[in-house]
Amino acid sequence: MFRSCAVADATFQEILLDAGAEAGPGARAARGARLPSFLGAQGVPDAVLDALRVAVIGLGSVGRNIALHLARLMIASLWLVDPGRFKAESLLTQPIGPADVAEPKASNAGRLCKQISPRTRVFALDGPVQSLNALALADADVVLLATDNLAAEVDVGQRCLHLARPLAQASVHGATLLAQVRLFANRDASGPCPACLFGPLEWGHLNRETTFSCQGAGHDGTVGRVAAPPTMSTSFLCALAADLALVQVCRHLLRLGAPVADTLVEYCGYTHRVVTSPLVRNANCPCDHQRWNELPAPRPLGDCSLRDLAAAAGFSGPAGLSFNAADLTYAEQGACNSCGLLQPLRRLVAVEQPRPGRCHTCGSPVLPHPFYSYRPIPAGVALPVWQQPLGQLGEQPPAWVVVGGEGRAVLFRQPASGKESMA
Ligand SMILES: [Zn+2]
Ligand SMILES: [Zn+2]
């Protein structure tokens, strides 16, 4: 349903303090100066927050408040993603000033977060979350989602399912003074995801409006975006949703009170009622709820063949398997630029700049043919190269490979580059 576009993966930019910005005398307090001793806390909240790494998807009126809260908790790392820029109307709902109008939302919030908490490593992507590779959020301990973009919701839900990362989704309904937070624990395939809760209305909207543009993707925010009307709300309701989201995330991470995994909490300003209810998986959800279980690769990935990885993942043969090789596409056949002859390529190529082969007949460049390019790669298509080391199939081996089949999936990461995936 959601085909991937042939675009290069976007990357985060780290936000650094301007030289001398940290020098103010006595400007920095320690977190402990205000952090309460939470009743019944298990473990040491300070230690959890010291190590905490969080991704925030959507830096609008709800997400910006979430990011600022996290900065004030002085967590370890913060990844911020939003393709948008502030408009004049943003002043009505978001904690920004007039000077921020026209600024990109993610990096603007990132700079403020970095100033509030210099110890936090802050990364920003001023682009759509769909432009990140599938492992880009792998190092986050929890993901917060605050977007009214349905395609982004599905995408983030899917990533968190694969990576088994808890996901907190905050939203508002202005006309009914409603603030809502859903917390998806993503412990295994039996739990719910955001798309599980979609009704025919959402799916209809998503399928009608989603545009899959392959031009300029990652820069202009057009990848799989749904044109949605702006959220009509007030700044206080948006802030309330952000506050509720942080309460739920802190409860989940610090294990405060009764478990909040796979629950929804909703405050309605008209009735002053708070409703909590369980979230359950929809058996008809079209998302792949399969968790990717990570195993160590038997050798550097460039020295492993597809057969080696299938065996290391515990599969007996290629039947029914498929492979995700990071941002690489398997080009089974290509077409000659000049004579048009279709011929085998059997290479892993980077979609952005595939290095062409040479035509058997006229020697001109042969480029991958879209009808014979695969991402993910069905094992049946890749049988001719089944035993060939991945390093021999392309310019460079993939940074990670997921082998899927028989209702389970195994992730192998290139050992040296594993922890750099988000930087
Ligand atoms: Zn689902
Ligand atoms: Zn030719």
Side-chain angles (χ1 to χ4, degrees):
M1 176 183 50
F2 296 99
R3 71 190 168 84
S4 63
C5 274
V7 293
D9 293 328
T11 49
F12 285 95
Q13 297 295 314
E14 180 159 15
I15 308 274
L16 301 171
L17 279 182
D18 295 336
E22 219 174 333
R28 305 289 165 205
R31 181 200 299 121
R34 285 292 180 275
L35 193 72
S37 305
F38 293 115
L39 188 69
Q42 299 173 42
V44 184
D46 242 333
V48 173
L49 297 172
D50 271 343
L52 187 60
R53 301 168 300 175
V54 182
V56 182
I57 316 301
L59 275 300
S61 39
V62 178
R64 184 176 177 90
N65 281 302
I66 288 174
L68 295 178
H69 281 320
L70 290 164
R72 293 182 210 286
L73 287 172
M74 300 187 166
I75 63 172
S77 302
L78 194 50
W79 289 275
L80 308 175
V81 183
D82 196 303
R85 289 173 179 270
F86 294 117
K87 299 188 279 260
E89 301 90 292
S90 305
L91 270 168
L92 304 174
T93 56
Q94 313 197 20
I96 60 167
D100 298 311
V101 172
E103 287 258 306
K105 293 179 182 176
S107 49
N108 176 286
R111 279 195 300 279
L112 186 51
C113 289
K114 185 71 184 175
Q115 286 163 16
I116 291 169
S117 177
R119 78 170 292 272
T120 304
R121 288 192 73 185
V122 181
F123 303 87
L125 171 68
D126 294 315
V129 66
Q130 294 96 321
S131 64
L132 290 167
N133 81 61
L135 283 199
L137 305 180
D139 293 330
D141 300 307
V142 59
V143 176
L144 281 116
L145 175 64
T147 167
D148 46 17
N149 183 294
L150 293 176
E153 273 182 41
V154 174
D155 181 282
V156 173
Q158 179 67 81
R159 289 166 187 268
C160 293
L161 284 168
H162 282 327
L163 301 170
R165 293 295 177 275
L167 168 66
Q169 181 183 19
S171 53
V172 292
H173 188 249
T176 52
L177 286 177
L178 201 77
Q180 186 190 76
V181 177
R182 299 154 163 181
L183 197 135
F184 305 96
N186 290 325
R187 292 198 178 107
D188 55 47
S190 68
C193 83
C196 282
L197 311 175
F198 279 16
L201 206 69
E202 279 93 354
W203 285 121
H205 190 63
L206 189 59
N207 292 330
R208 255 193 331 275
E209 305 288 339
T210 306
T211 54
F212 289 98
S213 164
C214 289
Q215 286 170 357
H219 305 289
D220 65 354
T222 53
V223 184
R225 302 242 328 140
V226 171
T231 303
M232 303 301 277
S233 188
T234 60
S235 70
F236 56 85
L237 195 64
C238 296
L240 181 61
D243 298 351
L244 274 178
L246 263 292
V247 170
Q248 294 300 83
V249 165
C250 277
R251 279 188 58 180
H252 187 68
L253 295 174
L254 304 175
R255 289 181 283 161
L256 307 177
V260 292
D262 297 328
T263 63
L264 169 157
V265 61
E266 197 171 75
Y267 169 83
C268 176
Y270 276 92
T271 59
H272 283 314
R273 286 184 65 200
V274 175
V275 176
T276 59
S277 41
L279 298 171
V280 292
R281 178 173 176 181
N282 173 356
N284 296 319
C285 176
C287 289
D288 174 13
H289 279 239
Q290 201 59 59
R291 175 183 180 155
W292 291 350
N293 290 303
E294 186 163 0
L295 285 178
R299 288 183 296 286
L301 289 180
D303 299 334
C304 294
S305 65
L306 295 178
R307 184 183 69 171
D308 296 337
L309 293 177
F315 295 108
S316 52
L321 297 190
S322 74
F323 296 82
N324 270 296
D327 56 342
L328 301 181
T329 294
Y330 180 66
E332 186 194 18
Q333 297 201 52
C336 171
N337 247 356
S338 139
C339 75
L341 184 71
L342 207 58
Q343 49 207 287
L345 274 179
R346 293 174 185 156
R347 288 175 63 77
L348 287 173
V349 296
V351 281
E352 191 184 36
Q353 279 181 325
R355 176 133 146 203
R358 289 280 150 211
C359 177
H360 296 187
T361 312
C362 72
S364 299
V366 174
L367 288 169
H369 193 289
F371 289 173
Y372 301 98
S373 296
Y374 298 88
R375 180 184 175 191
I377 310 159
V381 169
L383 281 181
V385 297
W386 185 241
Q387 302 188 46
Q388 228 169 304
L390 297 180
Q392 291 178 12
L393 292 181
E395 291 301 296
Q396 51 184 5
W400 52 271
V401 175
V402 171
V403 189
E406 298 168 11
R408 61 193 186 88
V410 177
L411 163 69
F412 298 101
R413 283 207 255 186
Q414 189 73 280
S417 63
K419 284 292 157 192
E420 308 302 322
S421 59
M422 294 180 78

